[in-house]
Short mmCIF file of all heavy atoms in Angstrom, two decimals:
data_model
loop_
_atom_site.label_atom_id
_atom_site.label_comp_id
_atom_site.label_asym_id
_atom_site.label_seq_id
_atom_site.Cartn_x
_atom_site.Cartn_y
_atom_site.Cartn_z
N GLY X 911 83.96 2.82 -13.10
CA GLY X 911 83.33 2.28 -11.77
C GLY X 911 84.36 1.69 -10.76
O GLY X 911 84.01 1.22 -9.79
N ALA X 976 117.64 2.91 -24.90
CA ALA X 976 117.04 3.17 -26.27
C ALA X 976 116.57 1.88 -26.89
O ALA X 976 115.44 1.92 -27.50
CB ALA X 976 118.05 3.83 -27.08
N MET X 1025 125.44 -4.32 -17.79
CA MET X 1025 124.66 -4.21 -16.45
C MET X 1025 123.17 -4.06 -16.76
O MET X 1025 122.80 -3.05 -17.37
CB MET X 1025 125.24 -3.09 -15.69
CG MET X 1025 124.80 -3.05 -14.27
SD MET X 1025 125.70 -1.74 -13.34
CE MET X 1025 127.35 -2.30 -13.20
N GLU X 1116 103.88 1.13 -31.48
CA GLU X 1116 102.39 1.15 -31.38
C GLU X 1116 101.95 1.91 -32.65
O GLU X 1116 102.61 2.84 -33.23
CB GLU X 1116 102.00 1.96 -30.18
CG GLU X 1116 102.27 1.22 -28.88
CD GLU X 1116 101.87 2.03 -27.66
OE1 GLU X 1116 101.26 3.09 -27.83
OE2 GLU X 1116 102.17 1.48 -26.57
N MET X 1149 132.15 8.62 -1.12
CA MET X 1149 131.83 8.30 0.30
C MET X 1149 132.29 6.92 0.68
O MET X 1149 132.81 6.77 1.75
CB MET X 1149 130.30 8.53 0.51
CG MET X 1149 129.91 8.41 2.02
SD MET X 1149 130.46 9.79 3.03
CE MET X 1149 131.74 8.91 3.99
N GLY X 1171 125.98 1.58 5.88
CA GLY X 1171 124.63 1.31 6.07
C GLY X 1171 123.77 2.28 6.93
O GLY X 1171 122.67 2.46 6.84
N ALA X 1172 124.56 3.01 7.82
CA ALA X 1172 123.91 4.01 8.60
C ALA X 1172 123.23 5.16 7.92
O ALA X 1172 122.32 5.66 8.18
CB ALA X 1172 124.95 4.66 9.55
N SER X 1251 110.90 7.46 -22.49
CA SER X 1251 110.99 7.30 -21.05
C SER X 1251 112.06 6.44 -20.54
O SER X 1251 112.78 6.68 -19.64
CB SER X 1251 109.71 6.80 -20.54
OG SER X 1251 109.65 6.57 -19.12
N SER X 1270 135.05 6.48 -7.28
CA SER X 1270 135.75 5.47 -6.54
C SER X 1270 137.31 5.37 -6.95
O SER X 1270 138.09 5.21 -6.13
CB SER X 1270 135.15 4.06 -6.85
OG SER X 1270 133.83 4.03 -6.28
#
Side-chain angles (χ1 to χ4, degrees):
M1025 192 175 288
E1116 293 179 7
M1149 186 68 253
S1251 176
S1270 294

